[in-house]
Amino acid sequence: MTILLSGFEPFDGASTNTSWQAVSALRDAWDGDEPLVAVELPCTFDGAWPALRAAIEQYEPRVVIAVGLAGGTSAVRLERVAINVIDARIPDNAGSAPVDEPVVADGPAAWFTGLPLKASLVAVRAAGIPVEVSSTAGTYVCNATFAALMHGTSGREGVRSGFVHVPDGESLPLASTVTALRVVVETARADLDGSLGVGDDVVRVSAGAEH
């Protein structure tokens, strides 16, 4: 079983991107039995998914977790759903800023994550790291990549894929973010090999919002 993680290059004038810092740190510290591969994606609408798709085709992973930066947050956000719309508030790194365009032409309105969301939530909480389930991944490159990932892996049997947003290093220590990602990876692995042991107490955990 190969595990594939992706993070993004810096964008909007920043010099670093915590998503790639965390993903590459986990790769470097990884001591699991299965290989873990990390790929840095361009922060562009036209380039992110092709780069991730190429890595999927090369490594044929069974776990694919795309990671992006959510500035202004202090908790790791497990993304529940990707929507089929691009509405860029700022240009991407190629200067592109589409408005009200679909990610996938003639695709569905949305795609749900393929990760064991509630089990991951409980496991990251148990590690003492702030975490929440998010029902919006935005309408920028992160959501577009998430949507394309779910659309592109929808026909692959035995694959768990999804998206996680992480805070910047000032809001949450990088080491905590790396630990949270490790827990999400390990939970997805357990789900695949049937050892997750999810009970009703996990499945029924509330993680919704009123608005």
Side-chain angles (χ1 to χ4, degrees):
M1 179 195 301
T2 298
I3 299 157
L4 175 62
L5 300 183
S6 70
F8 285 100
E9 67 181 0
F11 69 102
D12 197 27
S15 60
T16 60
N17 188 315
T18 305
S19 68
W20 175 243
Q21 290 178 314
V23 164
S24 58
L26 179 55
R27 175 201 59 197
D28 295 344
W30 183 251
D31 55 2
D33 295 333
E34 303 87 355
L36 187 151
V37 179
V39 58
E40 185 178 20
L41 305 180
C43 190
T44 64
F45 291 104
D46 290 339
W49 168 238
L52 182 54
R53 181 178 58 202
I56 292 171
E57 292 172 352
Q58 178 179 355
Y59 297 108
E60 298 183 344
R62 294 190 64 202
V63 175
V64 185
I65 302 175
V67 182
L69 171 65
T73 63
S74 58
V76 173
R77 292 169 51 186
L78 309 174
E79 297 297 345
R80 189 196 304 262
V81 60
I83 60 173
N84 194 10
V85 66
I86 299 171
D87 191 2
R89 182 181 60 82
I90 59 174
D92 67 10
N93 282 357
S96 177
V99 173
D100 297 340
E101 295 185 10
V103 178
V104 178
D106 300 320
W111 299 261
F112 284 112
T113 184
L115 298 175
L117 202 68
K118 296 297 182 69
S120 297
L121 176 71
V122 170
V124 175
R125 277 180 179 169
I129 298 166
V131 61
E132 60 189 31
V133 170
S134 166
S135 293
T136 174
T139 56
Y140 193 54
V141 178
C142 286
N143 175 76
T145 304
F146 182 18
L149 170 62
M150 299 315 302
H151 185 73
T153 58
S154 61
R156 293 176 182 257
E157 294 293 331
V159 175
R160 298 292 184 272
S161 56
F163 198 98
V164 177
H165 264 122
V166 298
D168 60 44
E170 294 183 359
S171 301
L172 186 69
L174 183 64
S176 296
T177 299
V178 173
T179 297
L181 292 178
R182 179 186 287 273
V183 170
V184 174
V185 167
E186 291 174 345
T187 305
R189 290 168 63 203
D191 189 33
L192 277 169
D193 64 25
S195 63
L196 187 57
V198 175
D200 289 342
D201 56 332
V202 173
V203 174
R204 299 296 294 177
V205 168
S206 174
E210 287 69 49
H211 54 80

